[in-house]
Amino acid sequence: MDTTQGFTIVRQYDAAPEQVWQAWTDPDQAALWWHPRGLRIPRESVILDVRVGGRYTYTMVREDTGEEFVTAGVYREVVPCERLVFTWGEADDDPEDAPVVALTLEPADGGTRLTFELRGVQGSPGDDYVYDGWDQALEILAELLHDNPRGGTLRG
């Protein structure tokens, strides 16, 4: 994996770090937003074992064609409400050679500043692929958090 490739996206959410954390670590909530526009995630496909060495998997489905994309990885660092690091790739990828996502959550201006960093794969705004996919997913998360700004379970 080439760690010189990658990108960072920073978002400000009007929700507490605990709520943003829950959106990343609760399978019911992750199914609502962990995909770009035009795709969906069937809840039954989401398995999150959020602990160091734990695995996750989910399946994105294209709404127009039904084509499926299984995504999986291994959690490398878990600091509740502060930091989450995991590999990101296809189900049969070697986690030792997969791209890595690092999330940092910081309280900021009555909400949460999320820094999303992906290393090991190239991406840039307008690529209609990796960068744009994550950017759209983070937008969907913002919409869900906006609809439920003070905690509780996200509703899709």
Side-chain angles (χ1 to χ4, degrees):
M1 176 182 57
D2 181 357
T3 58
T4 64
Q5 293 186 26
F7 57 88
T8 301
I9 300 173
V10 178
R11 282 284 200 299
Q12 177 75 28
Y13 294 112
D14 291 328
E18 295 79 11
Q19 187 184 9
V20 177
W21 177 263
Q22 189 174 10
W24 282 91
T25 59
D26 177 270
D28 293 332
Q29 293 186 34
L32 298 174
W33 70 270
W34 210 353
H35 55 81
R37 299 194 190 284
L39 286 89
R40 64 180 176 79
I41 297 176
R43 167 55 189 95
E44 64 274 6
S45 77
V46 182
I47 300 168
L48 306 179
D49 181 9
V50 185
R51 61 183 174 83
V52 173
R55 296 183 170 274
Y56 72 89
T57 186
Y58 62 94
T59 301
M60 294 183 291
V61 180
R62 286 186 63 100
E63 293 174 346
D64 57 350
T65 65
E67 184 179 6
E68 296 184 352
F69 306 92
V70 179
T71 303
V74 175
Y75 292 101
R76 291 189 170 172
E77 187 177 341
V78 179
V79 181
C81 303
E82 293 179 18
R83 188 158 168 83
L84 188 64
V85 179
F86 54 91
T87 63
W88 177 72
E90 296 179 10
D92 57 353
D93 285 353
D94 177 357
E96 295 303 315
D97 197 35
V100 175
V101 171
L103 305 173
T104 304
L105 305 177
E106 301 170 283
D109 298 326
T112 303
R113 176 186 163 132
L114 176 134
T115 302
F116 172 98
E117 185 176 14
L118 177 60
R119 289 286 166 241
V121 64
Q122 192 59 32
S124 60
D127 66 8
D128 201 30
Y129 191 56
V130 177
Y131 183 97
D132 287 350
W134 276 110
D135 191 49
Q136 290 174 22
L138 295 172
E139 283 177 12
I140 294 167
L141 174 58
E143 293 163 9
L144 289 167
L145 291 168
H146 181 266
D147 290 342
N148 188 24
R150 293 295 160 226
T153 303
L154 297 178
R155 303 279 181 221

